[in-house]
Amino acid sequence: MQIQCSASSVEMNYSSSGILLRAASPSPASTPGHTSIRSPYSVMVMVPTATVSQEDSMESGKAIMERQTARRAPANMIQMLESLFTSINLAKDLTAKCRGRALQLTDDEMQIIIQDLENVIGNICDHLGSIPASALGSNAFTDVADRPNRRSVYDSDMPRLVDFLRGMYHESHEFGGQMFNSLPEVTEYVEPLYDGFFCPLANEVMTDPVITEGGVTYDRRAIEEHFEKSADSSEPVCCPFTKMPLQSKAVMSNASLKSVIAEWRRRNEAMRIRIARTALSLSTTEAMVLEAIHELKLLAKLRGKNKELMHKIGVTKFLSRLLDNHNAQIRRDALELLCLLVDDEEGRDIIGKTKAIARTIKLLSSNSTDERHAAISFLLELSESQLLLENIGSTAGSILILTTMKINDSDDPIGAEKSRAVLKNLEKCSKNIKYMAESGYLEPLLSHLVEGSEEVQMEMVSYLSELVLEQELTIDVSKSTSDILIKLVCSCNTVVHKAALNVLVQLSSHHPNSKVLVEAGVVLVMIEELFIRKIDDEPVSYKAKAATVLANIVESGIDPDTTVVNKEGHVFSSKYCIYNFVHMLKCFMPDDLNLSIIRLLLALTVFAKPLDVMVSVVRENHRGHAIVELMNSPMQALSIAAMRLLITLSVHIGHTIAERLCKTQGQPGRLVKSISHTGHVTERHAASVTLLSRLPHRNISLNLGLVQEGAVPVILNGIDEMQNGATRTSRYAVPYMEGLVGSLVRLTTTLYNPTVLKAAKDYSLASVLTELLTEAAGSGEVQRLAAVGLENLSYQSIKLSQLLPEEDPRPKKKTILKRLMDSRVHSNKGPQHHICPVHQGICSTVTTFCLLEAGAVEGLLGCLENDSPRVVEAALGALCTLLDDRVNVEGSVSSLAKLDAVRRVLGALRRHRENLVWHKCFCLVEKFLMYGNDRCVREVTGDRTLPTALVSAFHKGDAGAKQAAEGILTRLHKMPDYSATYLSVEI
């Protein structure tokens, strides 16, 4: 028998040699002796006739077919197919061997099996490639296929790959069938489509066959539509197939045919699924993979049983691998198919055991919009399963990518909407809420914290507590959230209590939250936690957290005069409140508690009233001792905070602080050690030296203590390192350098003490300060401090300058021997001492701190060109010491004039309008007019800006500036001389 099928006709003929079948469109008038067959494939089947039974017909047909094909198939084709099936069996044996002994095989044995499999696959490919195309359209291989020794191949679940190589036609008209050009032919594995399955009216396979009164079977929908169309006609209703009139429109279900068609559909769909699965495994070409996926999508949409089979034979699991395919179309189609397969728990369970979720998350960042939409749609399906929620949320980057998609709704509205739905589903798992918060998406956590049950609220606050301890979050708190947190703080559950405190610490650190927290009553609760609440075995750290919350709130800038702290109506600025805070500062208390209290006090010093109260409290009852002692804390933050508080208070009670610092055992020495550093300058170094520079400079106890503890060489060493640039990169380099110079300058205020004076001479402070006048030395503050220090030293020069001994005017008689000795002495005597024109004695930089000898005058005059009025004022102050009434003013003016001092002083007067600058400039100008030579006077009087400056100072200056300006105006005859004496003349 030879069977040939086409898409156009099937015709069965009987002959002595066999049966010839041709596929044909069904004819409504098939003859009884003929049985038509419709098939989408080139098939080799036997069809029952009217004269023999189906079983006998199949057996006789197969025998005839075997004889026919044996005669037509070439011998080499039969041998080729036998070898091909032998290779397939060998591959199965090798696979079974691996499966049975996978854990027992050694690496060498595994390598041998792999090599054998590669050889077998190569043989199969060679055999397949050598089959001529003409043989594929025939049935020449059925003889080999039906041999008993090859039955094991057919008995397997997988179809024979060699039997289908051309195409595959889909008869699913409902979902749009198409011809596949890559998938192999199915041969006898797809059962034929009989004419009896077709509705003669609709020419489609029937889904609900019914029998009319005339005995013809139609599809229910088709015949009912026919009856409806003919209802308006006056002619009697006729059978559309036989044209015979019908007495009734009643129909009866053809249950047996319906069952046969359903079974035929099920068996064919199952086989098509297996074939498509095999095609996916082969992955010969991308086109084959795409067509197989498309086939599986059609079958998955047909019925749920098909999805179950796909799960069973591994289609669902295999599709997850395709999500890593380099072809974007394959990835997208695989996602669409997966969406269909995961609508049941079995499919979701399979996906949960693969890497599909991680791969899908990766595809959410695709540049292709279609691929992103396919990925988010698949993820949305998965998120419907409670079992996969934690899996999705814990996948690296999932929450972050989803929240990003949700936020960027303008770029991709569809993706944003679906990502929002996925996140909403993920909220059903409490761990995902934590993952969302870690990714910056806090709304679900805060929402569950407010709206959830008490148990949920406790869980959420625990998550939030863990989160704020791991990272700094900026959270804008609402009134409802504040109320819940404050309620949880009052809980007797220590775990919840601690967690709520941790959250409030973080929330209060974000200053915009302070107003909401204060309105919710957080201050009263924290004060109660700090001073009143006592629970057995409750850690003191809870009090530290409460103090931190209060410190954060005060630092945010709330009004301490109106913020109530307890039920009695006390406010932050009240003495009652500040006294209790200061009283809590003790060295044996936890460092974090002391730190929070000091932070709170430091924040209150910004306001005038709390500062005054604090000054009085610290001055009383020796409360400042605790703060001084906390400077030595090993906790760097606490030590720095204590020093900052003392620096702030030193303006008001500096002597008190200095005395307590000196009375604290070992404290000056520890401060000196804290100044020294090796390498990087820290905030602690800067704070220590700043405190020393800010405490009252004339406190002899502190100055003497610093000298005795060796502070001077330490300070000079630090200045030297800073000038060499070794530590200037630190952010604290500037305050550190200014503190060093300030600490050095403080010693120049107590030079009356012999110990301090000796140190100033030993370390040549005049030379050091002169070098600091240049801009290269540091900031303008350093120059100002250096000028102040030189001013202090210069006042000592008047006392320290050594006058030459006066010669005795009376001549003395000398013996010859005495004269000879005197002559030898005079002949060996060195050069005469240089007389200082200012101090009229012997001066030096080291012993008398003379500014002229030190070369400091040039530096001071250079500072007059500085833009800072404070620097100019300090430099003028130092220069004024050279024009003191106790020195030779005329000599000083002469020396200054030679250094172009007149022009520079007038220039400073021109650039600055501050009272102190005016005052000191006018003092110098007046001396220039009084003691200067003609050139100096002409230079002063010839300045065109001087009159304007004098008039402005006289009009707007303070008392000192006005008096100095008036003196010059009088000398220039611009004002009457009220000091002149006139004779009284009577008329």
Side-chain angles (χ1 to χ4, degrees):
M1 180 182 68
Q2 181 178 7
I3 301 175
Q4 297 177 343
C5 298
S6 68
S8 61
S9 75
V10 163
E11 183 178 284
M12 178 183 292
N13 292 321
Y14 296 95
S15 66
S16 60
S17 58
I19 304 173
L20 176 64
L21 294 177
R22 291 187 177 89
S25 57
S27 172
S30 301
T31 61
H34 292 73
T35 302
S36 297
I37 179 172
R38 175 183 291 262
S39 175
Y41 314 101
S42 298
V43 295
M44 288 66 69
V45 298
M46 295 304 300
V47 186
T49 65
T51 57
V52 293
S53 67
Q54 182 176 359
E55 182 177 355
D56 294 339
S57 176
M58 289 293 289
E59 292 295 332
S60 61
K62 183 177 292 187
I64 295 171
M65 185 173 66
E66 288 178 355
R67 292 194 296 271
Q68 293 286 342
T69 54
R71 286 194 296 269
R72 289 184 174 87
N76 59 348
M77 177 64 69
I78 295 175
Q79 294 174 357
M80 188 182 303
L81 294 176
E82 288 178 347
S83 177
L84 180 61
F85 285 114
T86 301
S87 298
I88 293 175
N89 286 333
L90 179 57
K92 290 182 64 179
D93 294 340
L94 291 171
T95 304
K97 183 178 180 181
C98 290
R99 186 183 301 111
R101 300 178 55 207
L103 299 177
Q104 303 175 3
L105 293 174
T106 64
D107 293 340
D108 294 337
E109 291 174 337
M110 185 64 72
Q111 191 65 33
I112 294 172
I113 293 175
I114 292 173
Q115 186 64 42
D116 291 342
L117 280 172
E118 291 177 350
N119 294 335
V120 170
I121 293 172
N123 291 336
I124 293 174
C125 293
D126 293 341
H127 293 320
L128 291 175
S130 62
I131 297 176
S134 59
L136 299 178
S138 68
N139 54 1
F141 51 85
T142 39
D143 183 53
V144 178
D146 289 340
R147 293 185 181 182
N149 61 344
R150 300 290 182 256
R151 297 298 294 176
S152 60
V153 178
Y154 307 146
D155 295 339
S156 67
D157 291 335
M158 299 299 294
R160 293 183 304 165
L161 304 181
V162 71
D163 293 342
F164 42 92
L165 297 172
R166 286 293 175 88
M168 192 173 181
Y169 177 80
H170 295 279
E171 66 283 349
S172 177
H173 299 282
E174 182 178 356
F175 295 99
Q178 70 175 49
M179 180 65 70
F180 283 77
N181 300 320
S182 301
L183 289 180
E185 284 186 324
V186 291
T187 65
E188 74 269 21
Y189 288 94
V190 176
E191 297 185 3
L193 187 62
Y194 298 98
D195 277 346
F197 293 173
F198 277 80
C199 172
L201 186 60
N203 199 26
E204 294 178 354
V205 177
M206 291 181 286
T207 56
D208 186 11
V210 294
I211 303 174
T212 61
E213 183 185 68
V216 180
T217 300
Y218 299 94
D219 186 73
R220 182 183 296 274
R221 184 179 63 182
I223 191 62
E224 288 178 353
E225 289 179 355
H226 175 75
F227 286 158
E228 289 178 2
K229 291 179 181 178
S230 59
D232 298 335
S233 176
S234 57
E235 298 180 1
V237 178
C238 297
C239 175
F241 184 74
T242 62
K243 305 302 181 183
M244 299 295 293
L246 297 176
Q247 298 299 322
S248 172
K249 296 181 181 180
V251 294
M252 182 176 61
S253 177
N254 191 339
S256 58
L257 181 58
K258 183 177 182 180
S259 176
V260 170
I261 292 175
E263 178 64 16
W264 173 85
R265 285 181 183 274
R266 187 191 65 78
R267 290 165 60 89
N268 277 7
E269 289 170 4
M271 186 52 60
R272 288 162 60 188
I273 291 172
R274 294 181 183 276
I275 293 170
R277 171 65 178 84
T278 303
L280 288 178
S281 301
L282 289 176
S283 301
T284 306
T285 63
E286 292 179 353
M288 176 183 285
V289 175
L290 289 171
E291 290 168 5
I293 295 175
H294 183 71
E295 171 76 352
L296 291 170
K297 282 197 286 187
L298 294 177
L299 294 169
K301 293 177 181 178
L302 283 174
R303 67 192 82 256
K305 290 292 184 181
N306 291 341
K307 299 179 185 178
E308 295 176 6
L309 180 59
M310 292 180 196
H311 298 329
K312 181 179 180 181
I313 66 176
V315 171
T316 308
K317 185 176 181 181
F318 186 82
L319 287 171
S320 67
R321 301 185 212 167
L322 295 181
L323 300 183
D324 278 338
N325 196 284
H326 68 280
N327 187 300
Q329 183 64 42
I330 290 178
R331 296 195 302 267
R332 187 166 63 250
D333 285 4
L335 286 168
E336 292 175 355
L337 178 54
L338 282 171
C339 281
L340 300 174
L341 296 179
V342 296
D343 61 350
D344 54 46
E345 288 301 323
E346 183 180 1
R348 293 166 182 165
D349 183 61
I350 294 172
I351 288 299
K353 297 175 182 178
T354 67
K355 297 180 179 179
I357 293 177
R359 291 165 179 162
T360 305
I361 296 299
K362 184 178 178 181
L363 295 179
L364 290 177
S365 301
S366 172
N367 293 328
S368 170
T369 303
D370 293 339
E371 190 170 24
R372 285 201 310 274
H373 289 175
I376 192 63
S377 297
F378 175 51
L379 206 61
L380 182 57
E381 286 291 335
L382 294 179
S383 66
E384 299 292 340
S385 172
Q386 186 71 27
L387 299 176
L388 295 180
L389 291 179
E390 185 175 351
N391 193 342
I392 297 172
S394 61
T395 302
S398 60
I399 301 295
L400 185 59
I401 295 175
L402 287 169
T403 53
T404 303
M405 292 180 67
K406 183 183 79 71
I407 295 171
N408 300 329
D409 52 356
S410 59
D411 298 336
D412 186 1
I414 297 177
E417 184 62 29
K418 291 188 176 181
S419 63
R420 190 176 292 107
V422 173
L423 289 170
K424 192 65 178 177
N425 289 338
L426 294 180
E427 290 181 25
K428 299 173 184 176
C429 175
S430 59
K431 287 187 178 181
N432 286 338
I433 297 176
K434 181 182 178 183
Y435 298 147
M436 293 177 190
E438 290 175 349
S439 298
Y441 183 40
L442 291 165
E443 285 80 358
L445 192 152
L446 298 178
S447 175
H448 283 73
L449 178 62
V450 174
E451 301 172 2
S453 62
E454 185 176 353
E455 182 180 355
V456 171
Q457 289 177 345
M458 292 181 178
E459 187 177 19
M460 292 301 105
V461 78
S462 298
Y463 284 157
L464 194 54
S465 173
E466 295 175 15
L467 193 60
V468 298
L469 292 176
E470 293 173 359
Q471 54 182 293
E472 291 186 5
L473 295 177
T474 301
I475 306 173
D476 293 321
V477 67
S478 63
K479 177 67 166 57
S480 55
T481 305
S482 302
D483 293 337
I484 295 298
L485 289 172
I486 292 173
K487 183 190 76 172
L488 295 175
V489 167
C490 300
S491 171
C492 294
N493 186 323
T494 56
V495 176
V496 176
H497 179 68
K498 179 181 178 181
L501 278 174
N502 288 335
V503 175
L504 284 175
V505 168
Q506 182 62 37
L507 293 178
S508 61
S509 65
H510 184 47
H511 291 170
N513 290 332
S514 296
K515 183 178 179 181
V516 177
L517 292 173
V518 170
E519 291 176 352
V522 71
V523 173
L524 277 72
V525 175
M526 293 301 104
I527 290 291
E528 182 179 352
E529 180 76 27
L530 192 60
F531 295 109
I532 302 174
R533 180 183 172 101
K534 294 185 182 298
I535 297 179
D536 294 340
D537 300 328
E538 184 181 71
V540 183
S541 60
Y542 291 178
K543 295 183 180 298
K545 295 181 186 300
T548 303
V549 173
L550 293 172
N552 291 338
I553 289 176
V554 175
E555 287 176 346
S556 69
I558 58 112
D559 186 359
D561 295 332
T562 59
T563 305
V564 179
V565 299
N566 57 17
K567 296 178 180 178
E568 285 73 22
H570 292 107
V571 294
F572 268 121
S573 60
S574 64
K575 186 173 182 178
Y576 167 84
C577 188
I578 293 177
Y579 178 88
N580 280 284
F581 286 137
V582 175
H583 185 73
M584 286 195 73
L585 293 174
K586 296 180 178 64
C587 293
F588 56 83
M589 296 293 284
D591 286 345
D592 50 354
L593 175 58
N594 283 327
L595 174 61
S596 296
I597 295 297
I598 289 182
R599 282 181 53 210
L600 190 152
L601 294 173
L602 195 58
L604 288 174
T605 60
V606 177
F607 303 92
K609 183 178 178 181
L611 177 60
D612 294 339
V613 175
M614 197 179 309
V615 167
S616 64
V617 169
V618 173
R619 184 185 286 118
E620 297 170 0
N621 304 323
H622 305 285
R623 292 298 172 190
H625 280 300
I627 305 175
V628 172
E629 290 174 356
L630 291 175
M631 290 168 51
N632 305 318
S633 172
M635 182 181 183
Q636 184 169 346
L638 175 57
S639 175
I640 293 171
M643 284 188 281
R644 289 179 58 200
L645 180 58
L646 291 174
I647 290 169
T648 304
L649 296 176
S650 65
V651 179
H652 307 276
I653 50 173
H655 286 287
T656 302
I657 295 173
E659 290 174 4
R660 291 176 185 176
L661 190 149
C662 293
K663 291 179 180 179
T664 302
Q665 186 176 5
Q667 186 59 63
R670 282 190 289 266
L671 266 178
V672 171
K673 290 180 181 179
S674 66
I675 293 174
S676 61
H677 68 93
T678 54
H680 191 70
V681 177
T682 65
E683 186 179 3
R684 190 168 189 169
H685 292 131
S688 299
V689 76
T690 301
L691 176 61
L692 285 180
S693 67
R694 297 288 179 84
L695 289 174
H697 284 189
R698 298 185 181 276
N699 189 288
I700 186 60
S701 300
L702 181 57
N703 289 357
L704 191 59
L706 292 176
V707 172
Q708 292 172 346
E709 293 293 341
V712 178
V714 172
I715 293 171
L716 294 177
N717 183 61
I719 292 174
D720 185 61
E721 289 185 6
M722 293 298 297
Q723 286 183 309
N724 292 333
T727 55
R728 287 190 180 183
T729 56
S730 172
R731 58 181 293 193
Y732 304 106
V734 172
Y736 179 69
M737 181 64 174
E738 293 174 355
L740 288 174
V741 178
S743 301
L744 195 65
V745 169
R746 71 175 296 115
L747 300 179
T748 65
T749 63
T750 54
L751 293 174
Y752 57 85
N753 183 278
T755 303
V756 179
L757 179 61
K758 183 177 183 303
K761 290 180 178 181
D762 291 344
Y763 294 102
S764 187
L765 295 191
S767 299
V768 174
L769 295 175
T770 299
E771 294 178 2
L772 294 174
L773 289 175
T774 62
E775 293 184 357
S779 64
E781 180 64 13
V782 170
Q783 292 177 281
R784 187 192 73 82
L785 290 170
V788 171
L790 288 171
E791 180 182 357
N792 295 335
L793 291 174
S794 182
Y795 277 121
Q796 296 297 318
S797 300
I798 302 172
K799 300 176 182 179
L800 298 175
S801 181
Q802 298 178 1
L803 299 177
L804 290 175
E806 296 181 359
E807 296 183 1
D808 192 349
R810 296 174 298 174
K812 294 182 179 180
K813 295 182 180 179
K814 297 182 179 179
T815 62
I816 297 175
L817 180 61
K818 183 68 173 176
R819 291 176 182 174
L820 289 173
M821 292 179 64
D822 288 344
S823 63
R824 291 178 182 176
V825 171
H826 287 294
S827 63
N828 295 330
K829 192 175 182 180
Q832 297 293 323
H833 291 288
H834 174 68
I835 304 301
C836 176
V838 177
H839 303 109
Q840 295 296 301
I842 302 173
C843 287
S844 72
T845 304
V846 176
T847 59
T848 66
F849 316 124
C850 180
L851 298 185
L852 286 178
E853 291 294 328
V857 176
E858 293 87 340
L860 292 170
L861 291 174
C863 289
L864 297 183
E865 298 177 0
N866 197 291
D867 294 332
S868 171
R870 299 183 75 234
V871 175
V872 174
E873 176 200 341
L876 290 170
L879 290 172
C880 285
T881 62
L882 299 178
L883 301 177
D884 191 89
D885 294 338
R886 294 173 293 173
V887 302
N888 183 12
V889 180
E890 187 174 352
S892 296
V893 170
S894 176
S895 299
L896 292 173
K898 293 177 182 179
L899 297 175
D900 198 20
V902 177
R903 182 185 62 84
R904 295 189 178 186
V905 171
L906 292 173
L909 187 61
R910 198 163 34 245
R911 286 189 297 272
H912 299 281
R913 292 290 184 268
E914 287 75 20
N915 284 315
L916 288 175
V917 175
W918 272 346
H919 185 193
K920 293 182 178 180
C921 279
F922 292 153
C923 289
L924 288 171
V925 169
E926 187 175 12
K927 296 293 184 181
F928 293 153
L929 290 173
M930 292 174 60
Y931 299 99
N933 55 23
D934 293 342
R935 179 181 176 184
C936 182
V937 173
R938 284 196 303 269
E939 192 172 358
V940 172
T941 56
D943 188 80
R944 300 176 61 184
T945 61
L946 179 61
T948 304
L950 291 169
V951 172
S952 297
F954 189 78
H955 287 166
K956 303 176 183 178
D958 59 10
K962 183 176 181 179
Q963 184 178 0
E966 184 179 357
I968 298 177
L969 289 171
T970 301
R971 192 160 296 279
L972 294 176
H973 306 292
K974 303 291 184 180
M975 289 282 292
D977 188 358
Y978 298 106
S979 62
T981 302
Y982 299 96
L983 294 176
S984 177
V985 180
E986 293 184 3
I987 302 178

